[in-house]
Amino acid sequence: MAVFVVLLGPPGAGKGTQALRLAQSLNVPHISSGALFREHLKNQTELGVKANAYIEQGQLVPDDVTIGMIRERLSRPDCAPGAILDGFPRTPPQAEALDAILKDLGSSLRAVIHIKVAEEVLARRVCGRRTCREAGHIFHVEFNPPKVPGVCDYDGSELYQRRDDMRETVLERVEVYQRQTTPLIEHFRKRNLLREVNGVYSIDDVTAAMIDVLKSPGETE
Ligand code: AP5
Ligand code: MG
């Protein structure tokens, strides 16, 4: 049975950092809606240009655009064994669409891991983040610095600061998360899919906690 796991959490919670590690550990692709939008923008596709107008304002990209992009990605053969979904779903219609997409693939959601991090920590994490141009590898100037400043450890490409990682945009993104995405926490709790981990600990400790909660379905923390 394929393993589809969703990572839920505010901007800076560590979804991208942890999704990569979990994907390697479970040997499934890491699918980040934000990274897919950034890839589209890099290639100047129509979708990328349209999405960027929302991303730069810290707003969510409309559901129909986002759902279409994720449906296409999940239907590719590399997702047959499952996937770690980072940043999707973020609204109730997206959650509904994910159920339908997975049903069409003859599968269903295994778990939703909510990475809990207090708001005070988020801006510091996001503002210090550096992202690699080539593949989106994630670093932090203070908490997870690259060996050579400004250069990705994995592929040697340049590290840059995301345009939506400016302080005012980050605050807006956190607000949007509270308003539009947190209702999903209850939604998944009711379906007994929700698992929670405390995201304030070290990157390694959070990974260990996530692997743990996936082994013990039904339990939280
Ligand atoms: P997206 O790219 O998904 O951004 P986000 O949800 O705001 O989350 P971030 O990527 O900022 O944080 P993260 O949780 O991945 O943290 P990370 O691991 O990098 O989305 C961007 C935009 O695209 C959205 O605003 C929206 O416009 C649009 N979009 C995307 N999906 C959408 C959807 N489904 N619907 C509509 N619109 C959508 O970690 C952050 C930093 O902290 C890093 O520097 C990292 O090194 C560091 N760090 C991580 N863990 C730790 C730790 N345990 N201790 C210390 N430092 C840590
Ligand atoms: Mg991310």
Side-chain angles (χ1 to χ4, degrees), residues 7-19 30 32-38 51-63 65-67 69-70 86-91 94 115 117 121-122 124-131 136-145 162 164-165 169-170 172-174 176-177 180-181 198-207:
L7 302 194
L8 200 63
K15 300 183 297 296
T17 303
Q18 298 300 336
H30 163 202
S32 155
S33 41
L36 287 174
F37 287 132
R38 287 186 285 279
N52 194 46
Y54 297 90
I55 294 172
E56 284 204 335
Q57 301 295 318
Q59 302 301 320
L60 294 185
V61 177
D63 282 338
V65 177
T66 308
I67 290 167
M69 179 181 75
I70 293 291
D86 151 13
F88 182 93
R90 272 188 215 225
T91 63
Q94 290 183 17
I115 309 178
V117 177
V121 180
L122 301 174
R124 189 150 167 228
R125 282 201 188 167
V126 175
C127 295
R129 171 171 46 206
R130 297 295 181 270
T131 305
H137 294 116
I138 301 164
F139 297 86
H140 191 282
V141 289
E142 197 182 336
F143 306 135
N144 183 23
R162 278 168 43 182
D164 62 341
D165 281 355
T169 321
V170 174
E172 180 61 27
R173 282 161 56 201
V174 171
V176 165
Y177 173 80
Q180 304 196 48
T181 306
N198 190 337
V200 296
Y201 299 119
S202 74
I203 293 175
D204 283 346
D205 286 353
V206 177
T207 308

Side-chain angles (χ1 to χ4, degrees), residues 41-52:
L41 181 67
K42 194 163 95 180
N43 297 327
Q44 286 290 300
T45 68
E46 197 183 321
L47 188 154
V49 173
K50 183 173 180 194
N52 194 46

